[in-house]
Amino acid sequence: MEAHEDPADERLRRWRLVLGGDVADGTGYPLSGQDSAMDGALAALYGTGEAPRAGRDRAAGLGASAPSVARWLGDIRSYFPTSVVQVMQRDAMDRLGLASLLLEPEMLEAVEADVHLVGTLLSLEKAMPDTTRETARAVVRKVVAELEQRLATRTRATVTGALDRSARTRRPRHRDIDWNRTIAANLRHYLPEHGTVVPDRLVGHGRAAQSAGKEIILCVDQSGSMAASVVHASVFGAVLASMRAVHTRLIVFDTAVVDLTDRLDDPVDVLFGTRLGGGTDINRALAYCQSRITRPAETVVVLISDLYEGGIRDEMLKRVAAMKASGVQFVTLLALSDEGAPAYDREHAAALAALGTPAFACTPDLFPDVMAAAIEKRPLPIPDTVSSP
């Protein structure tokens, strides 16, 4: 990006790039050099007309040519930061119908990979030729690896801490005494003349590896609008499955139910085992989850769905109520992504809230805290921005 010393000049330049150079934009600001090339890249996506003319009236010029799109993808990666490139790529898919071009390996090598691109690739997976499949898996694996690097350490630490706290006992063996908490709990028994605390009760903790027994079931809606949630849930499922202290099950559903637990050692395999799009039968999915619960008091069920139910609504609610009554910790997430809550069924959300299971969107960074609270059976850290359905 070219440097501009004068702040007023810089404002005019930015407005010119935003407005596109039509006669009515009112800036009268001429572009040159890299600014002109940037304007051409923006014009190809956001303009109108037959062909772009760099630095002049904005016009759409990508068409459906793979070579021209590949060049354009390379251009925007050189002109704009990654976050902007990802937005422009998504807009190109929506505005210009370029998703089918991702079936070509050279196109996949040119794009900036992110969660949304993974969702698009998964939705195209059935139509993907063999020549593209390995490239697509490489792109998906890159995004998954980046997510694991970002989320795994904190998830393991937070969940392990929750398991330790939930396993604490008031009658610990000597080697299991939590001395810091024991002292804090008995400060009123401090004897200053002896400089010591006489403990009235001992506070201990179980060791997570031995107290395991916690069951986590992730039940994920794989309808088209839930693509980013499916990606994040697969990564979290793999991270949780790597912990010996919990047993993790991953269920994905539309109108059918698929148990992907045996693939959790590789989240890329999990993702390519999903089937984005189609209808939704939450009741059927919860029936399957319910059939796999053997120790309700030690089980956390996380439903990730926009709650648009194509199955039997009343049966769905009865299943949730039955699981909660048996001791299951039930969590409802409208989304597991950075984008906030999608469109969702407010009536179903209100009905779940009435059962003591408020539905809310959860960011990936918040998810470990949600899991920790559920494991410890304490109130969930629901974001302040959540509005009542």
Side-chain angles (χ1 to χ4, degrees):
M1 185 175 293
E2 296 177 2
H4 296 268
E5 302 276 341
D6 184 358
D9 193 52
E10 173 66 4
R11 281 195 298 272
L12 281 175
R13 169 184 165 273
R14 289 174 179 268
W15 275 114
R16 165 63 185 81
L17 286 168
V18 169
L19 295 172
D22 292 333
V23 292
D25 77 10
T27 64
Y29 188 90
L31 296 178
S32 61
Q34 184 170 301
D35 283 347
S36 180
M38 289 173 62
D39 189 61
L42 291 166
L45 177 57
Y46 299 111
T48 58
E50 293 299 323
R53 289 180 292 165
R56 300 184 62 190
D57 295 346
R58 182 162 292 184
L62 284 179
S65 162
S68 67
V69 174
R71 284 194 300 272
W72 178 79
L73 288 167
D75 287 345
I76 64 173
R77 291 176 74 170
S78 64
Y79 300 147
F80 304 102
T82 298
S83 58
V84 175
V85 170
Q86 291 171 351
V87 170
M88 293 179 73
Q89 286 178 172
R90 293 200 294 273
D91 286 348
M93 303 300 167
D94 294 338
R95 293 167 63 92
L96 303 177
L98 301 181
S100 61
L101 291 179
L102 292 176
L103 300 180
E104 302 183 27
E106 62 271 20
M107 284 291 296
L108 278 179
E109 292 169 358
V111 295
E112 188 71 46
D114 67 348
V115 169
H116 300 280
L117 177 64
V118 169
T120 301
L121 291 176
L122 295 178
S123 69
L124 295 170
E125 198 264 339
K126 300 302 180 187
M128 199 173 285
D130 291 340
T131 54
T132 306
R133 200 173 301 276
E134 285 308 309
T135 306
R137 288 184 71 90
V139 171
V140 172
R141 190 169 297 281
K142 176 177 181 290
V143 173
V144 166
E146 290 171 352
L147 287 174
E148 282 189 302
Q149 184 177 23
R150 168 189 160 195
L151 300 170
T153 300
R154 182 166 178 271
T155 299
R156 292 192 184 99
T158 302
V159 171
T160 298
L163 290 166
D164 283 342
R165 289 187 295 272
S166 68
R168 284 196 183 99
T169 174
R170 297 298 175 85
R171 300 179 62 184
R173 293 173 295 180
H174 184 271
R175 63 183 178 181
D176 291 333
I177 295 173
D178 186 331
W179 288 108
N180 288 336
R181 289 180 176 269
T182 294
I183 292 170
N186 290 278
L187 286 177
R188 65 180 181 279
H189 301 301
Y190 177 64
L191 301 179
E193 64 273 21
H194 296 288
T196 190
V197 170
V198 178
D200 179 59
R201 63 185 179 88
L202 300 176
V203 179
H205 52 79
R207 287 161 292 175
Q210 293 183 2
S211 63
K214 289 290 183 183
E215 307 275 344
I216 297 175
I217 301 177
L218 302 178
C219 184
V220 188
D221 184 343
Q222 60 177 349
S223 57
S225 61
M226 302 297 293
S229 297
V230 171
V231 175
H232 285 114
S234 299
V235 172
F236 278 118
V239 171
L240 292 169
S242 71
M243 301 176 61
R244 295 178 59 189
V246 294
H247 179 266
T248 303
R249 188 179 291 275
L250 177 65
I251 314 299
V252 297
F253 67 93
D254 43 30
T255 53
V257 179
V258 181
D259 191 331
L260 296 175
T261 303
D262 61 351
R263 302 190 188 187
L264 278 176
D265 59 331
D266 186 347
V268 176
D269 274 350
V270 169
L271 288 170
F272 278 94
T274 62
R275 184 178 63 182
L276 288 175
T280 309
D281 192 338
I282 303 172
N283 177 56
R284 186 175 184 179
L286 291 182
Y288 180 86
C289 294
Q290 195 174 21
S291 72
R292 294 300 181 268
I293 297 173
T294 57
R295 295 176 303 122
E298 302 299 327
T299 300
V300 177
V301 174
V302 183
L303 172 64
I304 305 173
S305 173
D306 56 15
L307 302 179
Y308 286 111
E309 172 64 313
I312 306 172
R313 174 186 184 274
D314 291 342
E315 286 296 315
M316 176 191 79
L317 296 174
K318 286 178 182 177
R319 289 191 192 282
V320 175
M323 282 188 269
K324 286 180 62 66
S326 69
V328 171
Q329 296 298 111
F330 197 94
V331 179
T332 305
L333 303 180
L334 299 170
L336 179 55
S337 71
D338 288 308
E339 280 69 54
Y344 63 96
D345 190 309
R346 292 178 177 272
E347 184 179 349
H348 287 162
L352 287 169
L355 294 175
T357 306
F360 60 98
C362 177
T363 66
D365 289 331
L366 180 63
F367 185 73
D369 297 322
V370 170
M371 290 306 306
I375 289 169
E376 295 181 61
K377 302 182 179 181
R378 54 182 172 82
L380 301 179
I382 299 174
D384 294 337
T385 54
V386 172
S387 57
S388 58

